[in-house]
Amino acid sequence: MENVENTQQTPLIELDLLKTLVAIADTGNFTAAAESIFRTPSAVSMQIKRLEDMVGKPLFTRDSRSVLPTPDGENLLEHGRRMLALNREMVGQFMSPEVAGTVKLGAPDHVVELSMPTLLRRFAETHCCVNVDVFIDHSENLRKRVKNREIDLCLYATTPEAAKRNGAEVLLKEPLVWAGAKNGVACEKVTLPISVWDEGCSWRSHAIERLIRAKRDYRIAFMSAHIAGQRSAMLADLAVAPVPLSACVNGLVDLSECGLPKLKDYVLAIEVRAKAPAAVEAAADHLRASYL
């Protein structure tokens, strides 16, 4: 008799279970979550039990006052939000072809340079009646502009700690690294030449703090508000700079092996203004799905 090898299949998580997961995280307790998705609290508890059995990890910690995601719950929550957004975008192409309007989108310079053209091109392919106006600014300014309703939504960079503290909706977590020219010597100089922006830049303050802790002499050799300017300084081997790992392309390399102090990760989060119209929600869902 021929032996048949049993292969373990990856389980498929139902979107309905992820919807419940998000509802609990957003409301902070099972009862409110049950009301928001029109289910009983016992049904919600059973759904979370199913999810926990599937992933083999506890997803929430519970006390008398609130329910908080565990680290594994946070991880699943990030993916769950994006999968739900991708589902809404996919169905929306068939259910809501009439979505139209103008969306004012803010983003930091590095996002615009590295990924925004591709994101906007794909969005235009599925939402031909929505125009997107892009505004480039520092992350903190972008968040203020969303709160003041000057723009509709924004992507912004922050630290993992600040994101957790503020309840931010995180789309991406990425290493922040020292970068410089391939085969360059700037990183070997006794007084390290660095390229940063003004004191309001979180990457600057973090990078300088790490250099001071490591007792590494440095000087600010180049200042630019735009990653294109910093890239020019690095490619000319005039300076090194703290940038996302994804920016280490086209002649720039990660200098982690050069003995410079290790930098922390940063996260990219999204913020959408309250009571946003359908066109804005469609753009937000597209961004969420794009980072899946």
Side-chain angles (χ1 to χ4, degrees):
M1 184 175 179
E2 186 179 354
N3 292 327
V4 179
E5 183 179 355
N6 291 324
T7 58
Q8 185 176 5
Q9 293 184 342
T10 301
L12 297 176
I13 297 179
E14 300 171 18
L15 292 179
D16 197 38
L17 298 181
L18 294 176
K19 184 177 179 181
T20 299
L21 178 79
V22 170
I24 295 170
D26 288 345
T27 60
N29 65 75
F30 279 53
T31 302
E35 292 176 356
S36 70
I37 59 175
F38 306 103
R39 289 185 178 273
T40 64
S42 60
V44 165
S45 296
M46 289 178 63
Q47 286 188 311
I48 294 303
K49 179 64 166 57
R50 282 182 60 194
L51 263 179
E52 291 178 331
D53 288 343
M54 290 180 73
V55 301
K57 304 282 186 179
L59 299 176
F60 290 99
T61 57
R62 305 163 176 83
D63 59 32
S64 58
R65 294 184 177 181
S66 63
V67 177
L68 296 174
T70 63
D72 291 307
E74 291 278 7
N75 188 21
L76 184 60
L77 185 62
E78 288 182 24
H79 291 293
R81 289 188 189 278
R82 295 173 203 161
M83 290 179 68
L84 291 169
L86 183 60
N87 180 72
R88 287 193 297 269
E89 184 185 24
M90 178 178 62
V91 175
Q93 293 181 43
F94 302 96
M95 302 294 291
S96 304
E98 72 280 359
V99 172
T102 297
V103 176
K104 295 180 179 180
L105 166 65
D109 175 67
H110 77 279
V111 173
V112 173
E113 179 181 282
L114 296 173
S115 58
M116 191 58 69
T118 300
L119 295 177
L120 294 182
R121 184 183 70 250
R122 291 175 178 171
F123 183 70
E125 290 172 354
T126 56
H127 297 80
C128 60
C129 297
V130 179
N131 297 315
V132 181
D133 297 338
V134 179
F135 299 81
I136 304 173
D137 206 339
H138 294 309
S139 291
E140 285 305 309
N141 291 342
L142 290 170
R143 295 190 68 198
K144 290 176 184 177
R145 294 177 75 175
V146 171
K147 287 181 170 57
N148 294 336
R149 302 177 72 86
E150 296 173 19
I151 58 177
D152 298 307
L153 74 162
C154 74
L155 298 174
Y156 67 95
T158 187
T159 64
E161 295 81 8
K164 187 172 184 178
R165 184 170 62 248
N166 298 326
E169 183 180 344
V170 174
L171 302 184
L172 171 72
K173 185 177 181 181
E174 184 181 13
L176 195 66
V177 300
W178 292 104
K182 186 176 181 180
N183 300 320
V185 297
C187 66
E188 299 175 6
K189 295 185 177 180
V190 176
T191 300
L192 184 72
I194 64 173
S195 175
V196 289
W197 185 222
D198 61 23
E199 295 181 1
C201 174
S202 62
W203 294 356
R204 167 186 167 134
S205 58
H206 173 57
I208 289 178
E209 183 224 353
R210 288 294 171 131
L211 289 172
I212 292 173
R213 276 193 187 184
K215 298 181 179 180
R216 178 68 187 267
D217 289 338
Y218 71 92
R219 67 182 180 90
I220 298 176
F222 199 90
M223 291 186 67
S224 175
H226 305 291
I227 198 169
Q230 291 190 329
R231 182 183 296 279
S232 297
M234 288 185 284
L235 288 174
D237 203 23
L238 297 175
V240 301
V243 300
L245 180 59
S246 59
C248 294
V249 294
N250 301 325
L252 294 186
V253 295
D254 176 7
L255 300 176
S256 297
E257 302 300 320
C258 291
L260 297 177
K262 182 176 175 58
L263 302 176
K264 291 183 178 180
D265 293 345
Y266 88 100
V267 298
L268 186 69
I270 185 172
E271 187 155 337
V272 185
R273 72 175 176 86
K275 299 180 180 179
V280 174
E281 291 293 352
D285 279 346
H286 175 76
L287 292 171
R288 293 181 181 110
S290 296
Y291 285 98
L292 181 63

